[in-house]
Amino acid sequence: MCARVYDCLKCIGERIIENREFLTDLDREIGDADHGVNMARGYAAVIEKVPRDNPDIGAVLKKTGMTLLSTVGGASGPLYGTAYMEAAKALAGKESLTKEDFGKALELAVAGVGKRGKSVRGEKTMLDALIPALDAYNRKIAEGGSLADGLDCACAAAKEGVEHTKSIAATKGRASYLGERSIGHQDPGATSAMITLEAIRDFIRE
Amino acid sequence: MVGIVIVSHSRKIAEGIQELAEQVAASSGRILAAGGLEDGEIGTDAVRISDAIRAADDGDGVAVLADLGSGIMSAETAVELLDGEGIDVRLADAPVVEGAIAAAVEAACGSGIAEVIRAAEEARFVSKNIETGGRP
Ligand SMILES: Nc1ncnc2c1ncn2[C@@H]1O[C@H](COP(=O)(O)OP(=O)(O)OP(=O)(O)O)[C@@H](O)[C@H]1O
Ligand SMILES: [Mg+2]
């Protein structure tokens, strides 16, 4: 994946924008009905503001992070913003990306979310999709799988993680105000994290 | 004077608190509002907050008062964005209205950043029971 990082971000953005109503509906159940609106606004700004032809993947991801920080508006702004800015650290100056690079970037991104949100797995947040996805990716790569294979496994694990969020109560974010009453509903942030990974996988596969 | 930045999801709330706080701090110009998004929508914006912190600092440091949820996460992100700029910026673990007023009074008296933060944080213990004089 060289110098196509903008195109990949655009794919993610389009997928998020397509799912705007769906994500917002999920957030209506256990939050404040803005997750899709927030994320779509953020990615529309990314598609518009991030340079198309800067070959430095790290620099492009950093700009993406900064853009999300200032345009998303909700908790997902500083969370995904930090994720991209942390991933950028692993890819600074790189013009192409190996499966190891991607693994490192994903690891830093996931750790960034946890640090920003002061959250761990099992709290009904985007981490319930991201942490299993990272683990599955690493397992597949350790077995000798390709970037695309790793991403397939990451997406499958993220999907299971999203399902799992239905069975647990939220202890972080707005949904935590509902406590046990949040059980039965799927977490919007975990869902957008899964959509993001799927968009990356589809981009790499094609 | 220690600067104060007020963070809220709503631009109107942040500006309203700024107005209240400026009354007690005699319009020092060191109390800034960073509410909502750039276009006025509801939300918080770490970059806007970091700009406000920079503008509020005259070398004595800045106390940040934030409302809930992403207000705090964006304020923490803003502080990290300012890393290396040498601004003594601290987040107060305080209710945003009461904390901002207490911080403004303390700052206007010429106290340092540590006292301003302490004053803001103690504001959480102020009771709303008028009969007991507002003390628990
Ligand atoms: N502390 C946290 N750690 C990790 N993820 C979190 C945390 N808080 C919220 N989230 C994720 O963010 C999603 C909600 O994002 P959204 O953009 O709707 O923010 P919000 O909760 O409306 O923000 P705000 O605090 O501004 O009201 C949740 O579904 C959850 O996955
Ligand atoms: Mg929301």
Side-chain angles (χ1 to χ4, degrees):
Chain A
M1 188 167 82
C2 72
R4 293 192 298 151
V5 60
Y6 175 86
D7 297 330
C8 182
L9 290 165
K10 187 156 179 264
C11 272
I12 299 171
E14 284 166 355
R15 206 64 81 78
I16 292 286
I17 291 165
E18 270 164 41
N19 281 285
R20 189 188 139 151
E21 302 309 321
F22 173 53
L23 293 170
T24 294
D25 287 344
L26 292 175
D27 196 31
R28 183 168 293 117
E29 298 296 329
I30 56 170
D32 54 354
D34 63 3
H35 186 60
V37 175
N38 290 345
M39 293 291 290
R41 177 171 54 218
Y43 274 102
V46 167
I47 291 171
E48 191 193 312
K49 291 188 184 151
V50 168
R52 277 158 204 271
D53 35 14
N54 185 343
D56 179 343
I57 300 178
V60 172
L61 294 188
K62 185 163 181 214
K63 174 73 181 166
T64 302
M66 287 293 283
T67 304
L68 292 177
L69 283 185
S70 63
T71 55
V72 169
S76 45
L79 291 164
Y80 281 113
T82 302
Y84 277 105
M85 288 171 68
E86 287 296 309
K89 291 183 185 166
L91 304 173
K94 287 197 193 290
E95 297 191 359
S96 64
L97 182 118
T98 64
K99 60 186 181 181
E100 288 79 17
D101 291 335
F102 186 85
K104 186 71 201 159
L106 185 60
E107 186 187 325
L108 290 184
V110 174
V113 171
K115 190 189 61 147
R116 178 66 61 222
K118 300 187 169 63
S119 41
V120 295
R121 189 172 174 177
E123 296 189 289
K124 199 182 183 97
T125 71
M126 55 180 76
L127 286 178
D128 291 311
L130 290 170
I131 293 175
L134 172 65
D135 290 346
Y137 181 85
N138 284 338
R139 244 179 286 129
K140 193 68 191 174
I141 299 304
E143 284 170 16
S146 67
L147 175 61
D149 297 336
L151 276 164
D152 273 337
C153 293
C155 288
K159 190 158 193 236
E160 272 177 40
V162 168
E163 271 310 301
H164 179 65
T165 63
K166 292 182 188 167
S167 68
I168 56 178
T171 54
K172 284 282 154 65
R174 259 183 204 269
S176 65
Y177 294 132
L178 289 173
E180 298 286 310
R181 285 165 294 174
S182 66
I183 295 177
H185 301 285
Q186 164 178 342
D187 181 59
T191 309
S192 62
M194 175 189 76
I195 291 170
T196 303
L197 289 166
E198 287 174 351
I200 299 173
R201 177 204 51 201
D202 295 346
F203 180 80
I204 298 280
R205 280 258 175 236
E206 120 196 337
Chain B
M1 179 187 144
V2 171
I4 297 169
V5 169
I6 297 144
V7 175
S8 169
H9 281 65
S10 152
R11 176 175 288 198
K12 285 185 195 159
I13 288 181
E15 288 176 354
I17 298 172
Q18 175 195 26
E19 234 180 318
L20 282 175
E22 285 211 315
Q23 258 191 333
V24 298
S27 307
S28 64
R30 291 274 155 223
I31 304 174
L32 270 71
L37 301 183
E38 191 147 41
D39 59 6
E41 288 278 323
I42 294 278
T44 59
D45 171 349
V47 178
R48 247 167 85 75
I49 299 167
S50 66
D51 290 342
I53 294 170
R54 213 179 272 118
D57 184 44
D58 67 0
D60 289 342
V62 179
V64 181
L65 281 292
D67 68 357
L68 355 141
S70 73
I72 296 156
M73 272 192 237
S74 287
E76 288 178 344
T77 309
V79 169
E80 282 175 32
L81 292 176
L82 295 166
D83 235 16
E85 293 191 26
I87 302 173
D88 188 354
V89 51
R90 304 185 198 179
L91 227 66
D93 180 8
V96 61
V97 181
E98 290 84 346
I101 305 299
V105 170
E106 199 65 34
C109 294
S111 302
I113 179 80
E115 288 104 291
V116 170
I117 292 286
R118 188 189 38 76
E121 294 186 345
E122 278 178 2
R124 74 164 61 256
F125 301 113
V126 176
S127 147
K128 310 247 162 158
N129 186 336
I130 298 170
E131 278 170 44
T132 60
R135 289 283 159 188

